[in-house]
Amino acid sequence: MTFDILFVIIIVLNILFAVTIVFFERKNPTAAMAWLMVLFFLPPIGFFLYLFFGQNYTRQRMFVVKREEDRRFLQEIFLAQHREFADTRYRFAIPEVDEFREAILLLLQNNRAFLTGKNRVDLYTRGEDKFDALFAAIREARHHIHLEYFILNNDELGRAVVHALAEKALEGVEVRLLFDAMGTRAGGGTQKAFSELTDAGGKIGVFFPSVYRVNYRNHRKIAVIDGTVGFIGGFNIGDDYLGKGPLGPWRDTAFRIAGQAVQMLQLRFFLDWHYVTGGYPGPRPRYFPAPGDHGTTPIQIVSSGPDTRWSPIKEGYIKLINSARESVYIQTPYFVPDESVTDALRIAALSGVDVRVMIPCKPDHPFVYWASLSFIGDLLDAGVRAYTYDNGFLHAKTIVVDGKAGSVGSANWDVRSFRLNFEANAFFYDAAVGAELARAFKEDLALSTEITLESYRARSRRVRMKESVSRLFSPLG
């Protein structure tokens, strides 16, 4: 096949892709125009970009069964709690719940994200602390261990986790490990790497084995032990998350939860496990034990992905921003917001709210990094304050509002997390937890450099060009 014939075939396919984008996909206009420009002005490159990153037309068909089964499992609980929150005369014992009632109702209606109480939350910002707690919980497991991670690397930490799981499986503990095919394979974690676990009787599930598709990945980071202890946050499993990778020290955020919210993490795990393996052990008491009274923190576990009609986590972020009266502190490795998020932050800052955004000082994905700086620059005029974290790599995905409510989880502040990946966050309403998260943010300020309006305007022409090119490609998805 000559080059001319191949080029003609690519042009024809690009035209078909363009027709699909315009008439069959429900992309927002900005993303649609970006894809059309790439397909027509960069034909060969655009063809391969769309092949790997686009093709949203099949999304609803691919995940319609998952969406309907999720709704069926959750419908009965939803109806009962919705009546409670829709009644504005009802008052709650926790003042933060009344203060953020509208945000809670939004997430309940949008995502069947039930409000749970009597939770105790432990906050971790260092990998050593988080994984020490995870290993301790695994060692204490008596009935089951359920792990769901985007990345489980075949390195020292990854092998230690697999070995710990295998030991518990040999003791008769039920072990289920769910990982994303693309994320884990990138770290050398093939099914062969988990043979110790499967030989011991543990079960593994591989989410979306089509590794050539960059979209629709399971980006969640969830662990549930005996239905009584749960973990959620930004840490994957690998040496990088202990600061032993090329990016150096690692700053992340995770919650250890004991209480009613663990049942929601358990349900989230089972819904994903059922989608991957077809198996669902059912709502048996040993998987959903009575949670007990561990604390007072109200929590909603919020999920989003291509199987959700809207963008629940993003809309939860926006509602929290709109509810702020004093401060909004955000940490994220990737800051590529859409117009709705940008407007919410700008309006909050112009209204006198102390809005601060922290991103890494170094990129792990250069295009996303330069695009992040571009979007940061748009907000400086409105009074938003921005910082680059200088002590290694910042991977936390958090927001805390007025030191009273916020979110910790796997969702970044970008289009991929908002619309394309499967994500899970814990939204909390508790001044004690909020104060702890705000304190961690302020401590990080001492290790950061502020991006002032003057310094941003003084950036070099080369940096401006990188930002412009990266921003051009940012809507693709």
Side-chain angles (χ1 to χ4, degrees), residues 380-381 452-460 464:
L380 296 177
D381 269 331
T452 64
L453 191 58
E454 292 74 19
S455 65
Y456 184 75
R457 288 174 174 169
R459 68 199 190 284
S460 68
R464 293 170 188 259

PDB file of all heavy atoms in Angstrom, residues 380-381 452-460 464:
ATOM      1  N   LEU A 380      -5.966  34.488  38.048  1.00  0.00           N
ATOM      2  CA  LEU A 380      -5.215  35.408  38.900  1.00  0.00           C
ATOM      3  C   LEU A 380      -5.818  36.806  38.900  1.00  0.00           C
ATOM      4  O   LEU A 380      -5.843  37.493  39.930  1.00  0.00           O
ATOM      5  CB  LEU A 380      -3.754  35.459  38.448  1.00  0.00           C
ATOM      6  CG  LEU A 380      -2.959  34.147  38.579  1.00  0.00           C
ATOM      7  CD1 LEU A 380      -1.543  34.331  38.034  1.00  0.00           C
ATOM      8  CD2 LEU A 380      -2.914  33.685  40.036  1.00  0.00           C
ATOM      9  N   ASP A 381      -6.306  37.250  37.753  1.00  0.00           N
ATOM     10  CA  ASP A 381      -6.924  38.577  37.656  1.00  0.00           C
ATOM     11  C   ASP A 381      -8.120  38.723  38.593  1.00  0.00           C
ATOM     12  O   ASP A 381      -8.425  39.817  39.068  1.00  0.00           O
ATOM     13  CB  ASP A 381      -7.388  38.849  36.226  1.00  0.00           C
ATOM     14  CG  ASP A 381      -6.297  39.534  35.411  1.00  0.00           C
ATOM     15  OD1 ASP A 381      -5.490  40.251  36.011  1.00  0.00           O
ATOM     16  OD2 ASP A 381      -6.261  39.330  34.190  1.00  0.00           O
ATOM     17  N   THR A 452       2.328  34.732  41.355  1.00  0.00           N
ATOM     18  CA  THR A 452       1.677  36.044  41.404  1.00  0.00           C
ATOM     19  C   THR A 452       1.330  36.494  39.987  1.00  0.00           C
ATOM     20  O   THR A 452       1.826  35.955  38.995  1.00  0.00           O
ATOM     21  CB  THR A 452       2.602  37.083  42.044  1.00  0.00           C
ATOM     22  OG1 THR A 452       3.763  37.245  41.208  1.00  0.00           O
ATOM     23  CG2 THR A 452       3.036  36.631  43.438  1.00  0.00           C
ATOM     24  N   LEU A 453       0.475  37.495  39.908  1.00  0.00           N
ATOM     25  CA  LEU A 453       0.108  38.030  38.602  1.00  0.00           C
ATOM     26  C   LEU A 453       1.330  38.600  37.898  1.00  0.00           C
ATOM     27  O   LEU A 453       1.502  38.442  36.676  1.00  0.00           O
ATOM     28  CB  LEU A 453      -0.966  39.107  38.779  1.00  0.00           C
ATOM     29  CG  LEU A 453      -1.664  39.607  37.516  1.00  0.00           C
ATOM     30  CD1 LEU A 453      -2.331  38.469  36.777  1.00  0.00           C
ATOM     31  CD2 LEU A 453      -2.694  40.682  37.876  1.00  0.00           C
ATOM     32  N   GLU A 454       2.222  39.208  38.672  1.00  0.00           N
ATOM     33  CA  GLU A 454       3.441  39.784  38.081  1.00  0.00           C
ATOM     34  C   GLU A 454       4.365  38.694  37.543  1.00  0.00           C
ATOM     35  O   GLU A 454       4.886  38.803  36.424  1.00  0.00           O
ATOM     36  CB  GLU A 454       4.176  40.626  39.131  1.00  0.00           C
ATOM     37  CG  GLU A 454       3.450  41.885  39.562  1.00  0.00           C
ATOM     38  CD  GLU A 454       2.261  41.603  40.468  1.00  0.00           C
ATOM     39  OE1 GLU A 454       2.210  40.484  41.045  1.00  0.00           O
ATOM     40  OE2 GLU A 454       1.397  42.482  40.590  1.00  0.00           O
ATOM     41  N   SER A 455       4.582  37.645  38.328  1.00  0.00           N
ATOM     42  CA  SER A 455       5.474  36.573  37.872  1.00  0.00           C
ATOM     43  C   SER A 455       4.876  35.828  36.682  1.00  0.00           C
ATOM     44  O   SER A 455       5.600  35.393  35.787  1.00  0.00           O
ATOM     45  CB  SER A 455       5.762  35.599  39.010  1.00  0.00           C
ATOM     46  OG  SER A 455       4.591  34.906  39.421  1.00  0.00           O
ATOM     47  N   TYR A 456       3.542  35.697  36.664  1.00  0.00           N
ATOM     48  CA  TYR A 456       2.917  35.000  35.542  1.00  0.00           C
ATOM     49  C   TYR A 456       3.050  35.811  34.258  1.00  0.00           C
ATOM     50  O   TYR A 456       3.341  35.268  33.187  1.00  0.00           O
ATOM     51  CB  TYR A 456       1.441  34.731  35.853  1.00  0.00           C
ATOM     52  CG  TYR A 456       0.759  33.931  34.768  1.00  0.00           C
ATOM     53  CD1 TYR A 456       0.993  32.563  34.646  1.00  0.00           C
ATOM     54  CD2 TYR A 456      -0.104  34.547  33.859  1.00  0.00           C
ATOM     55  CE1 TYR A 456       0.378  31.827  33.637  1.00  0.00           C
ATOM     56  CE2 TYR A 456      -0.720  33.816  32.855  1.00  0.00           C
ATOM     57  CZ  TYR A 456      -0.471  32.464  32.750  1.00  0.00           C
ATOM     58  OH  TYR A 456      -1.071  31.735  31.748  1.00  0.00           O
ATOM     59  N   ARG A 457       2.866  37.108  34.363  1.00  0.00           N
ATOM     60  CA  ARG A 457       2.989  37.952  33.171  1.00  0.00           C
ATOM     61  C   ARG A 457       4.427  38.028  32.672  1.00  0.00           C
ATOM     62  O   ARG A 457       4.662  38.314  31.490  1.00  0.00           O
ATOM     63  CB  ARG A 457       2.471  39.350  33.478  1.00  0.00           C
ATOM     64  CG  ARG A 457       0.959  39.420  33.607  1.00  0.00           C
ATOM     65  CD  ARG A 457       0.489  40.792  34.064  1.00  0.00           C
ATOM     66  NE  ARG A 457      -0.973  40.891  34.056  1.00  0.00           N
ATOM     67  CZ  ARG A 457      -1.663  41.887  34.589  1.00  0.00           C
ATOM     68  NH1 ARG A 457      -1.018  42.906  35.177  1.00  0.00           N
ATOM     69  NH2 ARG A 457      -2.981  41.904  34.540  1.00  0.00           N
ATOM     70  N   ALA A 458       5.384  37.747  33.547  1.00  0.00           N
ATOM     71  CA  ALA A 458       6.799  37.835  33.163  1.00  0.00           C
ATOM     72  C   ALA A 458       7.345  36.525  32.585  1.00  0.00           C
ATOM     73  O   ALA A 458       8.535  36.441  32.292  1.00  0.00           O
ATOM     74  CB  ALA A 458       7.633  38.238  34.383  1.00  0.00           C
ATOM     75  N   ARG A 459       6.486  35.505  32.408  1.00  0.00           N
ATOM     76  CA  ARG A 459       6.973  34.218  31.891  1.00  0.00           C
ATOM     77  C   ARG A 459       7.497  34.386  30.479  1.00  0.00           C
ATOM     78  O   ARG A 459       7.081  35.288  29.741  1.00  0.00           O
ATOM     79  CB  ARG A 459       5.868  33.170  31.956  1.00  0.00           C
ATOM     80  CG  ARG A 459       4.711  33.389  31.023  1.00  0.00           C
ATOM     81  CD  ARG A 459       3.498  32.588  31.494  1.00  0.00           C
ATOM     82  NE  ARG A 459       2.422  32.579  30.513  1.00  0.00           N
ATOM     83  CZ  ARG A 459       1.602  33.578  30.281  1.00  0.00           C
ATOM     84  NH1 ARG A 459       1.751  34.716  30.950  1.00  0.00           N
ATOM     85  NH2 ARG A 459       0.639  33.477  29.384  1.00  0.00           N
ATOM     86  N   SER A 460       8.393  33.521  30.093  1.00  0.00           N
ATOM     87  CA  SER A 460       9.081  33.640  28.803  1.00  0.00           C
ATOM     88  C   SER A 460       8.155  33.309  27.639  1.00  0.00           C
ATOM     89  O   SER A 460       7.099  32.696  27.813  1.00  0.00           O
ATOM     90  CB  SER A 460      10.275  32.689  28.781  1.00  0.00           C
ATOM     91  OG  SER A 460       9.834  31.345  28.768  1.00  0.00           O
ATOM     92  N   ARG A 464       4.993  30.600  27.235  1.00  0.00           N
ATOM     93  CA  ARG A 464       3.692  30.988  26.691  1.00  0.00           C
ATOM     94  C   ARG A 464       3.283  30.079  25.545  1.00  0.00           C
ATOM     95  O   ARG A 464       2.108  29.700  25.413  1.00  0.00           O
ATOM     96  CB  ARG A 464       3.734  32.440  26.203  1.00  0.00           C
ATOM     97  CG  ARG A 464       3.900  33.474  27.299  1.00  0.00           C
ATOM     98  CD  ARG A 464       4.187  34.840  26.703  1.00  0.00           C
ATOM     99  NE  ARG A 464       4.538  35.816  27.711  1.00  0.00           N
ATOM    100  CZ  ARG A 464       3.721  36.732  28.210  1.00  0.00           C
ATOM    101  NH1 ARG A 464       2.471  36.799  27.767  1.00  0.00           N
ATOM    102  NH2 ARG A 464       4.127  37.581  29.120  1.00  0.00           N
TER     103      ARG A 464
END
